[in-house]
Each structure stands twice: as structure tokens, then as C-alpha cells.
């Protein structure tokens, strides 16, 4: 199965267990059904699937109105960037809905269009920026096993959140190894174990992190590997314990945000007084990616190996660009 | 939030034919609302509240009409200027004042301030201080009612300023597409803060906009309480029956404005937007202006003088204490 097929199956599985959910979005039951994401949602009579007009602000408000009435809903969005038109509802209405004690579940599932070739207005590739505005939960879906857990737990549950899959990964084979430890509630997944370093993947950089971990292991430096799907309300305990043991922290974040959960992790480690060396591998944010490009986030794995091998205690900040051709 | 159903409608909709009784109920509700807002105005002048309050003097007829027309399962969504609906739906002014004072034992726990004040027990499920914001939410509320098969109509209030927001058009589009029983109620007082419609935008013919969506349109005069009640009641029945939205535009004056003259300049109007209306007092009420702009003045002429005097005295009695 491909990644998008796994996600679609997990969504339908969760809907089958729900009594009544209003699913809505543009073109969700026609043609490709958003590349297969929304295929066959109406798994039983209580599940409604509505093709709506193109009005993102009204659609987000619609979900909150349903939530106020205690009715669960899911809003599927073809591209994360389109949600900027709904920002008022996502921030201001959510503030009121939770203050009013609304009981329904409202989940927005926006596809993160991160191929790079879509041009200058398909640039939003992270959830941290939205979440910071509205203080709501969000989960990046870039790993099949983690996605299944997150969808099962969070797709239909009281409150509001975003569950966003990466389009770049839609067609990829979903054959990752099962995580070693799953803590879907906290949004952190332990993917592999080792003592040489603590590698933490944020946003959609899990494939890069897996690949880096394999290179390190092959060179005799097996590392702990964590995937952080959540961007908000993260309990850092497991990662802090790992860093206390390994003494080395490698942060990998492909997001084009200045608001990086990895920096919150670093503050949390500082608060706990955990001495370590840190290597943040972040995407460079610059204007060159306004032009269509492959949008590759490629790690310099050899440089990381070198960093591991060096004995001096230093903190190096490094940004990693992508190929601009 | 799930369980409440409203039952505050002071008048069963089918008894509207009993004209005399209806007129008295209407006058009583209008007076109670006007005098309650005048009490709040006095308290605002005394700086009793930290939250900003947008009075709605002159908006009584539409608020009472909506409140009386609402069915037990209906919903009402409001804007920054919501005091008239909140008081029309809630006979307990002390509770309202407690909300403005941010008191913990107020019904909403003083957690919403004035511009976002809700009262779910009265059907007021959502109020927004962001122009246009409540309209899309109302579409979802109307759908939620439909999903639960409630025999319900949703009312969403907006202003002549707020309808300039794109959310107005989007909500109309979505509610019409989904065939939801939702009344878009435009309170047109001609002002958006300190600019008149003609000073800030092109004219917008809402009737033609409704025609473009193939939904009904009604225009009501906010100075005529009786016409507002009849019109709103009929429109609610129509929307419930046909299961699609409608637009109603209520033209009205927000009282509290005043003329100022500076030497050498032509007189100009300073309109009322929010806060205290300095030259209006509870003592001099309930009528603010002996003109057709004031729905209370107009209504007073429709009742026998004796009845009017009695109702005024009865409405004042429980309120005097607030200003003691
Ligand atoms: C999105 C947004 N823009 C601007 C404002 C500032 N604002 C508050 S009230 C108001 C005037 C609104 O006019 P209208 O909708 O006609 O209501 P009225 O005050 O006349 O009752 C404005 C511009 C706001 N609250 N929200
Ligand atoms: Mg106005």
C-alpha cells in the first residue's frame, strides 16, 4: 500500500467506529477524491460526505458551528496554503468555542503540498506557524505507522486540531518499520535505539532522519531516533532522558517556519540542566524557494559523521539548503 | 452545551392574532429592554465596567421581534453589538450586569466580557467581536441543528459594516448551497464606527443579492415594533417551511448621536458607536426622542395613554434599584 492509501484506510477505519460525522471539503467525493485521501468516506449511514463550494473561511466557521452543536466534523483541504483564508475562524472562533465549552470534534485535514514545483504560493510546509497563532493541536503525518496511531486517536475526539499529511510522500511505499515505542498521545514516536546520539525529526523530515540514522549505524554510531509528529503540547521527557544518556542531540526540521519545536526542546533541556552538544539541521529559509524547484531537504550526512567523531564540546548551528538546480 | 433547549419565547407564535394581548406583551418587552439599556448606560457613565459596551438604543424592536419569533429549539448568533438580544432573551438584568462586571457567579462566569457575550440557555450560542465572523459559524450551527433533526431556525445578526466582509458572501453561498434554515439579519444603522455607508462604500442592494441567490428578502423598519414582530414571525415560519436561508434588512437608527456646532462651521452629527451616551438618561426615559426614529415613541402612540403609563411604571419598578 502507498502512504495515502494507508491514511485513507485509517480514516475510514476511524469513521466506521464513529456514530455520526459530517465530512466536508471541495471535491472530496469526486474524481481522484483528493489523490485518494478522501475516497469512500461514507462508510455507514451516519457519515455524511459533502462537496462544498470554494469558501474556506465559511467552511472553517461551519466546522466550529457544528462543534458548538456537539456534532463532529472533518474538513478536508486540498492544500495547506488555502487555510490562510480561514485563519480568522481557526484562531478567533476556536478561542470562543473552547471558552464556551463546545463539545464536538472538529478536525481539519490539509494536505501539505510540498513538491516544490507548485510555485511561490505553495510554500507553507509546516503547522507550527498556525498552531502558534491559535494554540491548537496539530500533527504532521509523514510516517505510515505513526499516522495510523494519530488518526485513530485524534481524528474524532472533542476539540479542534489539524492532521496534515505530506503530499510528497503520498505515493511512497508505506513500508517503514514499526516504531519501537509509540506515544501517540504525546505525538512523539521512538523509531530506533542507540547510544551514539539522539536524533529527533520534526515536521515531515522523518525520511531524512531515518536515512541519517542508517548512515550513522553503518559507521558504528547507532543513535536513538525520535519522530515528533506534534507541534504543540509536547512532553519532552522521553527525549530528555535520551539526551541525558547520549550527550548528543541532532535536530532535523524541514519546515519553512521560524517557529521551530526543536528550539523549544533545547530550552526544555537547558531548564533541566542536561549537558549536551546540539546539531540543529534546519531548512534555510530564503527567497530562492519562491521559484519552482525540487524543494529537496538534503542532509550532509558526512558532515554529521564528522561532528559525531569530534570530541570537543561545542554547539554548532547549521542550516541546510536544498538543491536549486 | 448539548442538552439545552430554549423556552424563553414569551409568546407562542400562533397566538399572534390576539392583537391586544400581543401589543401589550410587545410594549412590555420593548419597555423592559429600553429601560434596562438605560440602566446600563447610567452604569457605563459611572464607569462601573471595564469591558467596552456597545449599547443598542433604537434597536429594541428588532431584538424583541427576534426573541418573540424564536422557537424553542432556535439559535441566535450575534456581534459586538449584542446587548439588546441578550437582554431581550434574558429577563434577569442583574445577571447581565454581573457578566459585564466579570463576576464569577454570573451565568457565563464573567468569562466572555461584553463583545462576546453568549447565553446558551437562551439560544444565544455564539457571539463574535470580529466583523462577519459569526456568519460562517451560524451556517455550521444551522447544519448541526439539521443533523440532530431539531425543528429549528438559526438567526445570524450582522451590521451594514460587517456585511462588507467576505465572510458574509461565503456564508450566504454555503447556507444556500446546503439549503439550511438560516436567517441573515442585517441591522442597517448606516454607520460603521464613524463613517456612513455613503462615506465608505458603494451602495449594496441586498434585495438583488438575495435574488441572485434565489432566496427571499424582507425589509423591515426598525422603528416599527409591530411590523418587525409580524415580519420576523412570518419569515421564520417561511424559512422553517422551505428549509433554505433568507435575508432580512432592518433599517434603524442607533440613538445616542448628537449634533454639535462649532463656531464658523456647519453643524455636524457625532454618531453613537459605543460607551456611555452622555446626554441620555434613565430618568428622562423611556422615550429618547419624540421622533419616528425612536421605536418606543412610535409604539407609545399605538397604545391607550393609560396603558402606556401603567406599563412604564411596571417596567421601571424592578429597575430603579440598580441605580440606588
Ligand atoms: C474584522 C474586523 N474589522 C474591524 C473591526 C472594527 N470594528 C468594530 S465595530 C465596527 C463597525 C461595524 O459596523 P456594523 O457592522 O454596521 O455594526 P454597528 O457597530 O453599526 O452596529 C468596526 C469597523 C472589527 N471588529 N472586526
Ligand atoms: Mg452599522
Amino acid at each position: 500500500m502507498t502512504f495515502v492509501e494507508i491514511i485513507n484506510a485509517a480514516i475510514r477505519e476511524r469513521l466506521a467506529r464513529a456514530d455520526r460525522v459530517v465530512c466536508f471539503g471541495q471535491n472530496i467525493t469526486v474524481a481522484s477524491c483528493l489523490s485518494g485521501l478522501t475516497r469512500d468516506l461514507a462508510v455507514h449511514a451516519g457519515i455524511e460526505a459533502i462537496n462544498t463550494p470554494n469558501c474556506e473561511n465559511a467552511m472553517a466557521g461551519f466546522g466550529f458551528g457544528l462543534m458548538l452543536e456537539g456534532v463532529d466534523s472533518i474538513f478536508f483541504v486540498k492544500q495547506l496554503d488555502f487555510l490562510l483564508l480561514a485563519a480568522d475562524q481557526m484562531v478567533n472562533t476556536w478561542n470562543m468555542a473552547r471558552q464556551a465549552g463546545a463539545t464536538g470534534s472538529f478536525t481539519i485535514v490539509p494536505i501539505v503540498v510540498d513538491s516544490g514545483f507548485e510555485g511561490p504560493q505553495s510554500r507553507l510546509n509546516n503547522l507550527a506557524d498556525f498552531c502558534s497563532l491559535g494554540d491548537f493541536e496539530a500533527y504532521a503525518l509523514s510516517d505510515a505507522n505513526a499516522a495510523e496511531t494519530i488518526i485513530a486517536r485524534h481524528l474524532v475526539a472533542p476539540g479542534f486540531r489539524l492532521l496534515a499529511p505530506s503530499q510528497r510522500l503520498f505515493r511512497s511505499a508505506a513500508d517503514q518499520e514499526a516504531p519501537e515505542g509509540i506515544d501517540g498521545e504525546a505525538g512523539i514516536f521512538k523509531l530506533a535505539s542507540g547510544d551514539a546520539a539522539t536524533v529527533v525529526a520534526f515536521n515531515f523530515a522523518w525520511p531524512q532522519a531515518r536515512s541519517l540514522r542508517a548512515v550513522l549505524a553503518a559507521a558504528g554510531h547507532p543513535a536513538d531516533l525520535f519522530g515528533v509528529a506534534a507541534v504543540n503540547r509536547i512532553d519532552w521527557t522521553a527525549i530528555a532522558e535520551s539526551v541525558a544518556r547520549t550527550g548528543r542531540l541532532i535536530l532535523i526540521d524541514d519546515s519553512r517556519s521560524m517557529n521551530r519545536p526543536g528550539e523549544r526542546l533545547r530550552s526544555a533541556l537547558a531548564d533541566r540542566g542536561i549537558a549536551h552538544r546540539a546539531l540543529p539541521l534546519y531548512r534555510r529559509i530564503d527567497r530562492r524557494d519562491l521559484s519552482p524547484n525540487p524543494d529537496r531537504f538534503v542532509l550532509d550526512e558526512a558532515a554529521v559523521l564528522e561532528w559525531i567523531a569530534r570530541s570537543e564540546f561545542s554547539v554548532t548551528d547549521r542550516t541546510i539548503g536544498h538543491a536549486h538546480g | 452545551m448539548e442538552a439545552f433547549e430554549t423556552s424563553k419565547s414569551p409568546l407562542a407564535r400562533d397566538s399572534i392574532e390576539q392583537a391586544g394581548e400581543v401589543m401589550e406583551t410587545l410594549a412590555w418587552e420593548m419597555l423592559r429592554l429600553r429601560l434596562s439599556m438605560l440602566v446600563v448606560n447610567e452604569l457605563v457613565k459611572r464607569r462601573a465596567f471595564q469591558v467596552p459596551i456597545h449599547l443598542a438604543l433604537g434597536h429594541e424592536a428588532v431584538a424583541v421581534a427576534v426573541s418573540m419569533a424564536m422557537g424553542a429549539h432556535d439559535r441566535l448568533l450575534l456581534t459586538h453589538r449584542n446587548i439588546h438580544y441578550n437582554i431581550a432573551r434574558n429577563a434577569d438584568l442583574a445577571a447581565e450586569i454581573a457578566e459585564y462586571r466579570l463576576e464569577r457567579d454570573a451565568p457565563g462566569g464573567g468569562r466572555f466580557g461584553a463583545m462576546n457575550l453568549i447565553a446558551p440557555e437562551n439560544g444565544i450560542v455564539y457571539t463574535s467581536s470580529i466583523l462577519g465572523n459569526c456568519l460562517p459559524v451560524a451556517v455550521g450551527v444551522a447544519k448541526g441543528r439539521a443533523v440532530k433533526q431539531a425543528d429549528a431556525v438559526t438567526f445570524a445578526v450582522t451590521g451594514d459594516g460587517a456585511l462588507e466582509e467576505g465572510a458574509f458572501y461565503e456564508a450566504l453561498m454555503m447556507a444556500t448551497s446546503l439549503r439550511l434554515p438560516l436567517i441573515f439579519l442585517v441591522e442597517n444603522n448606516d454607520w460603521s464606527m464613524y463613517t456612513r455607508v455613503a462615506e465608505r462604500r458603494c451602495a449594496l442592494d441586498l434585495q438583488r443579492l438575495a435574488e441572485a441567490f434565489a432566496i427571499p428578502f424582507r425589509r423591515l423598519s426598525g422603528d416599527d415594533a409591530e411590523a418587525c414582530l409580524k415580519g420576523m414571525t412570518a419569515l421564520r415560519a417561511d424559512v422553517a417551511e422551505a428549509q433554505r436561508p433568507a435575508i432580512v434588512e432592518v433599517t434603524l437608527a442607533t440613538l445616542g448621536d448628537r449634533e454639535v456646532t462649532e463656531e464658523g462651521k456647519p453643524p455636524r452629527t457625532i454618531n453613537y458607536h459605543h460607551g456611555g451616551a452622555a446626554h441620555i438618561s434613565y430618568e428622562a426615559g423611556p422615550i429618547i426622542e419624540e421622533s419616528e426614529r425612536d421605536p418606543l415613541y412610535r409604539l407609545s402612540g399605538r397604545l391607550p395613554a393609560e396603558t402606556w403609563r401603567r406599563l412604564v411604571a411596571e417596567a421601571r419598578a424592578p429597575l430603579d434599584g440598580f441605580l440606588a
Side-chain angles (χ1 to χ4, degrees):
Chain A
M1 280 170 101
T2 61
F3 182 57
V4 71
E5 285 166 347
I6 297 262
I7 293 182
N8 172 258
I11 290 171
R12 286 191 295 122
E13 205 284 353
R14 179 65 191 88
L15 291 175
R17 289 192 285 119
D19 289 342
R20 182 183 59 200
V21 179
V22 177
C23 299
F24 61 99
Q26 298 151 15
N27 305 297
I28 63 170
T29 74
V30 293
S32 79
C33 300
L34 306 188
S35 311
L37 179 71
T38 59
R39 188 158 290 138
D40 302 329
L41 292 175
V43 291
H44 62 76
I47 311 298
E48 202 178 343
I50 306 173
N51 294 311
T52 62
N54 305 315
C55 46
E56 286 76 7
N57 181 305
M59 294 161 80
F62 182 71
F64 285 112
L66 287 165
M67 179 195 249
L68 286 167
E69 289 297 326
V71 175
D72 301 338
S73 71
I74 308 171
F75 171 16
F76 293 93
V77 188
K78 194 180 150 36
Q79 183 172 327
L80 179 66
D81 306 74
F82 304 162
L83 274 186
L84 291 169
L85 280 70
D88 165 47
Q89 296 290 341
M90 293 169 65
V91 177
N92 290 314
T93 307
W94 168 230
N95 284 342
M96 255 309 273
R98 58 184 153 153
Q99 183 75 333
T103 55
S105 164
F106 180 31
T107 300
I108 303 185
V109 181
I111 300 171
V112 176
V113 174
D114 48 6
S115 83
F117 289 110
E118 311 259 341
Q121 295 184 338
S122 305
R123 191 164 183 265
L124 198 54
N125 78 339
N126 74 90
L127 305 172
D129 292 332
F130 269 120
C131 293
S132 167
L133 283 172
D135 176 33
F136 44 78
E137 289 173 48
Y139 301 89
L141 308 183
S142 61
D143 171 284
N145 292 297
E148 283 178 336
T149 305
I150 290 166
I151 289 167
R153 291 206 185 167
H154 301 289
L155 184 68
V156 184
F160 170 55
R161 84 285 308 162
L162 258 55
L163 303 188
S166 156
Q167 189 176 54
R168 174 194 291 280
L169 303 172
F170 266 20
R171 305 257 163 265
S172 62
D175 56 359
Q176 297 107 338
E177 287 162 38
E180 289 190 5
I182 284 187
D183 185 359
E185 204 66 59
I188 294 183
F189 296 78
K190 180 144 190 215
L191 306 175
S193 297
D195 291 330
T198 303
V199 179
V200 187
F202 295 96
N203 204 50
F204 300 104
W206 297 30
Q208 289 91 335
R210 279 182 195 280
S211 153
L212 174 66
R213 201 236 166 230
V215 168
L216 296 181
H221 305 294
D224 269 0
L225 174 62
F226 292 90
V228 179
V231 296
N232 213 342
R233 290 173 213 154
I234 304 169
D235 178 355
W236 300 112
T237 307
I239 296 178
E241 281 166 10
S242 167
V243 177
R245 178 166 42 79
T246 67
R248 291 193 186 91
L249 172 64
I250 301 174
L251 303 149
I252 306 179
D253 189 344
D254 66 325
S255 76
R256 221 175 260 114
S257 171
M258 295 173 200
N259 181 5
R260 292 178 167 121
E263 294 307 299
R264 298 209 302 278
L265 168 58
R266 289 173 76 178
S267 320
L269 294 173
D271 287 349
R272 291 172 203 215
I274 296 173
H276 66 284
R277 298 166 62 200
L279 178 63
L281 303 174
Y282 292 157
R283 184 191 284 275
R284 185 192 300 126
I285 304 172
D286 68 25
R287 288 185 51 184
R288 281 181 294 171
D289 57 19
L290 293 175
S291 314
N293 71 80
D295 200 49
R296 284 196 205 103
F297 178 65
V298 186
L299 303 183
D300 183 348
E301 291 163 344
V304 177
L305 268 178
E306 210 178 286
W307 178 81
I308 293 262
R310 276 204 313 262
S311 55
E312 80 270 26
F313 187 91
S314 72
V315 174
T316 315
D317 274 42
R318 174 189 294 251
T319 52
I320 304 254
H322 45 73
H324 282 284
Chain B
M1 180 81 69
E2 182 83 63
F4 71 83
E5 295 297 347
T6 62
S7 56
K8 290 281 163 80
S9 181
L11 186 78
R13 269 166 289 131
D14 46 18
S15 70
I16 208 145
E17 304 310 329
Q18 299 158 13
E21 206 179 300
V22 171
M23 275 306 284
E24 237 182 75
T25 308
L26 183 58
W28 163 257
E29 288 296 328
M30 293 282 290
L31 281 165
R32 184 179 67 76
L33 174 54
R34 165 62 59 89
L35 288 164
S36 297
M37 283 198 283
L38 289 177
V39 166
V40 173
N41 184 42
E42 294 304 326
L43 295 174
V44 173
K45 287 193 277 180
R46 294 179 194 176
R47 302 187 186 281
F49 310 119
Q50 287 178 293
V51 298
I53 293 176
H54 299 72
L55 295 171
L57 298 163
H59 298 231
E60 292 85 357
V62 58
V64 169
V66 167
S67 184
M68 289 173 77
M70 274 173 77
H73 309 293
D74 287 1
R75 298 289 191 252
L76 176 56
L77 289 90
L78 302 174
T79 72
H80 60 289
R81 195 178 306 285
N82 58 64
I83 183 171
H84 42 327
Y85 295 98
N86 266 301
I87 294 179
R89 298 291 290 162
N90 179 9
D92 182 5
L93 182 62
E96 214 62 23
I97 289 173
E99 296 288 3
Y100 295 152
R101 288 192 196 273
L102 310 180
E103 284 171 11
R104 274 196 182 184
D105 51 5
R111 293 176 307 131
F112 298 95
M115 290 199 291
N116 293 90
L117 192 56
I118 57 171
E121 65 282 9
N122 299 325
I124 302 174
V125 292
Y126 185 77
T127 299
S128 176
S129 58
I130 306 293
L131 299 184
N133 169 292
C134 75
L135 303 172
V137 181
V139 183
V141 165
K143 174 69 179 176
R145 299 269 75 200
V147 166
K148 293 193 169 174
Q149 294 170 342
D151 167 24
V153 168
T154 298
F155 294 75
V157 178
T158 190
D160 57 291
L163 66 73
E164 292 158 12
E165 301 286 354
F168 176 62
Y169 172 81
E170 287 196 18
L172 270 171
M173 170 62 71
M174 196 146 170
T176 309
S177 302
L178 300 182
R179 299 193 62 81
L180 294 170
L182 170 55
I183 294 178
F184 289 85
L185 194 171
V186 178
E187 286 191 0
N188 183 353
N189 63 357
D190 192 34
W191 289 95
S192 171
M193 295 189 85
Y194 306 105
T195 49
R196 290 181 188 274
V197 168
E199 290 172 308
R200 66 180 196 270
R201 65 159 157 94
C202 59
L204 175 64
D205 185 335
L206 287 174
Q207 175 155 14
R208 292 174 71 179
L209 185 68
E211 275 166 24
F213 279 98
I215 60 173
F217 172 82
R218 299 278 177 283
R219 191 186 313 278
L220 295 173
S221 192
D223 58 15
D224 187 339
E226 212 183 338
C228 278
L229 178 57
K230 284 198 178 127
M232 207 61 81
T233 306
L235 188 60
R236 190 217 171 269
D238 167 69
V239 163
E241 167 71 25
Q243 293 289 302
R244 45 112 182 84
I247 302 176
V248 54
E249 180 177 20
V250 184
T251 48
L252 44 74
T254 304
L255 303 177
D257 50 0
R258 66 205 150 90
E259 289 265 293
V260 288
T261 31
E262 287 168 58
E263 260 205 41
K265 289 185 186 165
R268 64 193 172 95
T269 304
I270 298 192
N271 70 305
Y272 172 85
H273 178 66
H274 81 305
H279 62 293
I280 289 177
S281 80
Y282 174 75
E283 272 314 304
I287 288 167
I288 293 173
E289 272 183 23
E290 298 201 348
S291 87
E292 292 289 299
R293 297 200 323 155
D294 186 339
L296 271 289
Y297 175 70
R298 190 159 175 167
L299 188 64
S300 69
R302 302 255 181 102
L303 287 158
E306 181 53 32
T307 310
W308 180 257
R309 268 195 299 277
R310 174 174 55 80
L311 289 173
V312 171
E314 281 174 18
R316 266 191 195 281
L319 298 178
D320 287 337
F322 285 101
L323 300 174

